Amino acid sequence: MYDILIQNASVADGTGAPVYQADVAVKDGRIVLQPDASLGAAQIMDAAGLTLCPGFIDSHSHADERFGLDISNLAIVSQGITTSATGQCGETMYPISTDARFAALQADELGSGFYRAKGSFFDNTSLPALLHNLEGVPIAFNYTMLTGHTTLRMAVMGVESRKPTAQEMEKMKVLLRDAMEHGSMGLSSGLIYAPGAYADAEELTELCKVVAEYDGFYATHMRNEASGSLESLREAIAIAEASGCRLNLSHHKICGKANWGLSAKTVKLLHEAAARGVRLHADAYPYTASMSYLDVCMPGYYFERTPDERIRMLRDSAERVRLEADIKAMDGRYNHCGGFENIYLTVAPNTPECIGKSVAAFAKERGVSDFDAFFDLLIENGHQTSAIYFSMCEEDLQRIVCDENICIGTDGILKDEVTPTHPRTFGAFPKAIRYFVREKKLLTLEQMIHKITQFPAERLGLANKGAVLDGYDADLVLFDANTISDRSTYTDSLVCSAGISRVLVNGQIVYEDGKLTGIYPGRFLPRNTR
């Protein structure tokens, strides 16, 4: 007897092959093609009118920041995601330093984590320690884990803006090698954020050589995603070539109206590197606005100070004048968006009245200048303040997403059940199908399903994932190809998508009838599992 028998499905198997009609069974967490109906099944699903495909693979996820929260589980599986690649942008909940001074800095910069885990943030001194603390945590989806360069650097040398000494570099390598030995997928960097931004290409190349020993990959949030996109991409490619590791370009985009159209050149660079033998891919989310911390608008010297020193700087009137002048002059988020009227607040724990408003609108409510409101928000909320930045165009988005080297990543970030977020957190994958397949007809359904299933599975090195093939893991999605659609918006972001009937993870139903089932079969997928 089978566990589940899915009858009359239109199968998009993830390979890019044409959709075909078939019955598919699930037995002991595995897919059975051409099942013998006479054997019966504990549960039979009639999938007439529905498409059955592999579970979607989120190539860029921040789900590790909210492991165990049902709102996070819901945001992920309700849009068909069954595997999330976590540990992105240089920030991970491990390795936390055993030196109390550095661990305190890590806690200030990274937060203490909000997952319902055993122990505390400070116990996560290694990947095995983190995984131990996550035992029993209710996670509905599978996940991989990168090692964050920022966390790694802070564990060894705090937040100092300098090159590591030979001894410090060796310590970072030891910590990274330990993580790779225990299943880390590789190294991630966030080169727009301090202190990760203080690393040069030499430092990153040396660390990536360790990653290459295990055939891992380097995922990078580049130094610049605007006017410096080409230079930043060339640096990332050079690091991959010099170290021999694989490359994943994180959430590829072009920010700032003056830079729109540069995607033609960045995509060309990716193709040229691939032709030279660089094993690479990039991910993107299907939106023209990004989301990050509010303080990313600040110049670099702001981040060279401790959190307390930053607050003192923001309270100094002379420093405010200097900061305002430098922000207006720099190639940064403020100018990319054309000012604070296009920067909308999403997370501000101590000033909830500002949520959903632009910084400019909130400034008007308070009767202060835009910059004074901006500085005051940082004083009142610190590093926890986040915002949505409207700075991209449809032409670049379409060129990037449709390229053969690009897959989809949510880059989703959640705080809790009520705080607004970017709509990509709940809607990235359904939007990719609705917008690029059904509405714009830029890709066929089979091409898009391949882009979000088998393609990332192969590039991430996930065995038995990403295809509806006999013996593969039963990570599956049943959806209506005619109605699947994102419903999450910039003004109403915590909304599940439409058109998804059921989601299975490891052969168990985790989502149906618009809600979680309360089953949590998700597990950690170590690198190169065979």
Side-chain angles (χ1 to χ4, degrees):
M1 177 179 286
Y2 301 117
D3 299 319
I4 298 172
L5 178 61
I6 304 170
Q7 297 179 322
N8 308 310
S10 298
V11 180
D13 66 8
T15 67
V19 170
Y20 63 92
Q21 296 296 124
D23 294 348
V24 175
V26 174
K27 178 67 175 176
D28 297 330
R30 301 282 184 172
I31 293 170
V32 180
L33 293 183
Q34 298 181 337
D36 183 349
S38 68
L39 295 178
Q43 183 174 4
I44 297 176
M45 300 178 187
D46 183 4
L50 298 177
T51 298
L52 177 69
C53 73
F56 306 152
I57 296 174
D58 183 354
S59 294
H60 188 97
S61 171
H62 291 281
D64 48 324
E65 297 178 15
R66 296 295 182 271
F67 275 149
L69 296 185
D70 265 350
I71 188 64
S72 179
N73 283 319
L74 183 64
I76 292 163
V77 300
S78 69
Q79 60 177 299
I81 296 167
T82 58
T83 298
S84 292
T86 73
Q88 304 286 346
C89 295
E91 295 187 353
T92 46
M93 293 300 170
Y94 81 97
I96 304 306
S97 179
T98 55
D99 185 316
R101 299 168 302 161
F102 294 155
L105 290 172
Q106 288 176 301
D108 283 338
E109 292 292 331
L110 305 173
S112 57
F114 291 85
Y115 52 80
R116 295 183 295 184
K118 297 180 293 186
S120 77
F121 173 80
F122 298 101
D123 294 329
N124 300 327
T125 55
S126 65
L127 179 54
L130 173 62
L131 295 174
H132 172 74
N133 286 338
L134 289 173
E135 290 176 3
V137 171
I139 301 174
F141 52 92
N142 300 312
Y143 64 96
T144 65
M145 186 77 72
L146 289 158
T147 304
H149 166 257
T150 294
T151 308
L152 193 68
R153 199 176 206 269
M154 291 179 71
V156 171
M157 53 190 297
V159 295
E160 294 187 37
S161 176
R162 61 173 176 80
K163 292 175 69 70
T165 64
Q167 184 180 27
E168 289 167 339
M169 176 58 75
E170 187 56 35
K171 286 182 179 179
M172 283 194 280
K173 287 182 176 181
V174 168
L175 290 171
L176 179 57
R177 184 169 282 108
D178 179 73
M180 297 302 295
E181 288 283 347
H182 289 94
S184 169
M185 300 294 284
L187 183 74
S188 75
S189 68
L191 302 183
I192 194 172
Y193 307 113
Y198 304 148
D200 59 18
E202 180 183 3
E203 175 181 331
L204 293 164
T205 300
E206 285 301 302
L207 291 172
C208 283
K209 287 178 181 177
V210 174
V211 173
E213 293 173 17
Y214 298 86
D215 195 30
F217 66 90
Y218 171 52
T220 180
H221 180 152
M222 303 190 306
R223 293 188 195 277
N224 189 297
E225 295 175 317
S227 63
S229 292
L230 295 177
E231 292 79 4
S232 296
L233 179 53
R234 289 189 183 102
E235 179 189 51
I237 292 170
I239 289 168
E241 288 188 294
S243 64
C245 77
R246 295 180 284 137
L247 175 65
N248 173 201
L249 181 64
S250 297
H251 44 60
H252 186 32
K253 65 178 79 73
I254 302 295
C255 298
K257 187 173 183 178
N259 308 307
W260 290 353
L262 271 180
S263 61
K265 294 182 179 180
T266 59
V267 166
K268 184 172 182 286
L269 281 178
L270 289 173
H271 280 265
E272 290 172 349
R276 294 196 303 271
V278 179
R279 295 172 297 163
L280 57 79
H281 72 283
D283 57 68
Y285 47 80
Y287 298 85
T288 54
S290 61
M291 181 178 177
S292 190
Y293 299 114
L294 185 61
D295 61 8
V296 297
C297 295
M298 286 293 202
Y301 60 79
Y302 171 82
F303 298 100
E304 294 177 7
R305 293 161 171 78
T306 67
D308 288 342
E309 290 171 341
R310 294 173 197 171
I311 297 298
R312 287 195 291 271
M313 173 187 285
L314 292 169
R315 287 183 170 141
D316 186 307
S317 58
E319 290 284 10
R320 284 193 177 209
V321 171
R322 178 167 73 121
L323 285 166
E324 179 175 345
D326 289 344
I327 290 170
K328 287 179 175 178
M330 65 189 282
D331 178 27
R333 299 292 180 101
Y334 173 82
N335 283 318
H336 297 164
C337 296
F340 283 124
E341 60 268 25
N342 292 317
I343 299 175
Y344 283 74
L345 298 154
T346 56
V347 178
N350 300 320
T351 54
E353 67 275 15
C354 76
I355 300 302
K357 301 168 185 174
S358 70
V359 176
F362 184 61
K364 187 174 182 180
E365 285 186 4
R366 282 197 167 184
V368 299
S369 72
D370 290 359
F371 273 93
D372 280 335
F374 168 65
F375 295 139
D376 290 343
L377 283 166
L378 293 178
I379 291 172
E380 294 167 41
N381 297 280
H383 186 60
Q384 298 305 311
T385 324
S386 295
I388 290 173
Y389 299 87
F390 290 88
S391 63
M392 294 172 267
C393 74
E394 291 291 336
E395 180 185 357
D396 284 323
L397 174 64
Q398 292 177 13
R399 180 182 292 116
I400 288 170
V401 170
C402 291
D403 187 77
E404 65 187 48
N405 291 307
I406 311 293
C407 52
I408 300 295
T410 62
D411 197 17
I413 300 173
L414 269 173
K415 180 176 174 58
D416 51 39
E417 293 85 353
V418 296
T419 304
T421 184
H422 193 294
R424 66 194 183 197
T425 305
F426 275 81
F429 284 80
K431 181 179 180 182
I433 296 172
R434 170 185 65 80
Y435 181 82
F436 290 95
V437 176
R438 201 165 64 240
E439 295 181 4
K440 294 297 182 180
K441 301 186 184 340
L442 296 172
L443 295 169
T444 65
L445 179 63
E446 292 90 343
Q447 287 171 326
M448 178 56 77
I449 295 301
H450 174 69
K451 184 179 283 287
I452 60 180
T453 59
Q454 189 183 59
F455 174 72
E458 290 176 345
R459 296 302 168 101
L460 296 174
L462 301 176
N464 300 317
K465 301 286 185 186
V468 181
L469 295 175
D470 203 50
Y472 268 51
D473 295 336
D475 297 339
L476 298 165
V477 181
L478 267 172
F479 68 94
D480 187 331
N482 296 315
T483 64
I484 186 170
S485 179
D486 53 308
R487 297 191 297 175
S488 177
T489 67
Y490 291 109
T491 55
D492 192 11
S493 56
L494 305 176
V495 183
C496 293
S497 297
I500 294 183
S501 175
R502 291 182 178 88
V503 179
L504 284 71
V505 174
N506 297 319
Q508 300 189 60
I509 302 171
V510 297
Y511 179 80
E512 66 178 342
D513 298 327
K515 59 182 181 292
L516 297 172
T517 63
I519 298 172
Y520 302 97
R523 57 176 179 251
F524 171 64
L525 304 178
R527 183 198 67 261
N528 293 336
T529 302
R530 291 291 187 269

